[in-house]
Amino acid sequence: MPKTLEGQITMEKTPSYFVTREAPARISAMSRDTKLIVVVRDPVTRAISDYTQTLSKNPDIPTFESLTFRNRTMGLIDTSWSAIQIGIYAKHLDNWLQYFPMGQILFVSGERLISDPAGELGRVQDFLGLKRIITDKHFYFNQTKGFPCLKKAEGSSKPHCLGKTKGRTHPNIHPEVVQRLQDFYRPFNMKFYQMTGHNFGWD
């Protein structure tokens, strides 16, 4: 990490930290005052998105349905598949709470980042002790991608959207499979809502 001067904030992002068992201890050993921001979204949508990304790199992988179940007839979900495992947020949060108090962790709603980017980023700015300077006027909604983009990137007069890999069309998943996954995640989601004191409305 670069040296941080008084009045500066150093930020770093790695999606896999939240689900990596060793990460909380290592980050705590580096700095116990670190503030943590985690973007979460409906775990069913997240799993389908994860699969869509893998499929784009490897078109020969088995179907989403066949990877989801250990036993389809009995409806047994395969929790060893990482796309499923990552969405069990309560389990991962348990690991982090052994090293960091809840007050140092902010959970950002992936759904609200799309529907109200300025509002969600307002929470981030408050959490980091920054003045709220990002507002609705900084965004426009990109119909093609299906999410908001910045009207102007810093140091440029051009709009900035997330790259080609974001906003891919998801494959059609059988509604019964989606329902099974919603049922599977429900108790974990409820526990996560209790732990964070925030209902993300994923049902």
Side-chain angles (χ1 to χ4, degrees):
M1 296 292 272
K3 294 259 187 289
T4 305
L5 302 174
E6 191 71 41
Q8 287 184 324
I9 293 178
T10 301
M11 298 184 84
E12 195 272 351
K13 75 170 182 74
T14 300
S16 57
Y17 282 163
F18 186 56
V19 298
T20 302
R21 186 124 201 100
E22 304 77 18
R26 289 176 181 169
I27 294 171
S28 174
M30 181 195 71
S31 168
R32 294 178 69 180
D33 298 327
T34 299
K35 287 186 172 184
L36 306 153
I37 300 170
V38 187
V39 180
V40 288
R41 68 192 291 198
D42 181 324
V44 179
T45 314
R46 205 219 66 78
I48 296 167
S49 178
D50 191 312
Y51 175 79
T52 306
Q53 187 171 353
T54 309
L55 187 65
S56 73
K57 295 174 190 164
N58 182 0
D60 300 327
I61 59 168
T63 64
F64 179 83
E65 286 82 352
S66 62
L67 290 167
T68 297
F69 295 103
R70 197 181 307 155
N71 182 321
R72 175 103 190 235
T73 318
M74 294 173 71
L76 286 178
I77 304 291
D78 188 353
T79 55
S80 68
W81 184 29
S82 65
I84 300 292
Q85 178 73 234
I86 291 168
I88 307 174
Y89 303 133
K91 179 185 140 200
H92 306 304
L93 179 53
D94 258 338
N95 189 28
W96 284 88
L97 291 177
Q98 290 172 43
Y99 297 90
F100 291 94
M102 198 64 205
Q104 275 172 241
I105 311 173
L106 177 72
F107 286 93
V108 173
S109 161
E111 288 81 11
R112 275 183 48 96
L113 261 184
I114 293 171
S115 65
D116 178 21
E120 210 58 4
L121 285 172
R123 291 179 62 236
V124 171
Q125 290 168 100
D126 294 347
F127 176 69
L128 296 175
L130 299 171
K131 196 171 129 194
R132 281 198 181 207
I133 56 164
I134 300 169
T135 65
D136 281 331
K137 70 173 194 280
H138 291 92
F139 298 94
Y140 75 95
F141 192 81
N142 182 309
Q143 294 292 347
T144 313
K145 285 204 165 284
F147 51 71
C149 300
L150 284 168
K151 282 186 179 163
K152 280 197 291 191
E154 193 159 335
S156 162
S157 59
K158 289 198 302 226
H160 176 73
C161 268
L162 294 172
K164 287 193 206 88
T165 63
K166 303 295 178 191
R168 287 194 191 100
T169 305
H170 290 177
N172 284 325
I173 307 299
H174 195 287
E176 179 229 339
V177 175
V178 172
Q179 185 63 59
R180 287 280 175 92
L181 278 172
Q182 285 171 338
D183 294 344
F184 166 76
Y185 280 118
R186 191 168 292 111
F188 298 112
N189 289 345
M190 293 305 158
K191 186 177 179 208
F192 184 62
Y193 298 169
Q194 286 170 345
M195 293 167 87
T196 58
H198 186 85
N199 183 333
F200 289 86
W202 292 324
D203 242 1

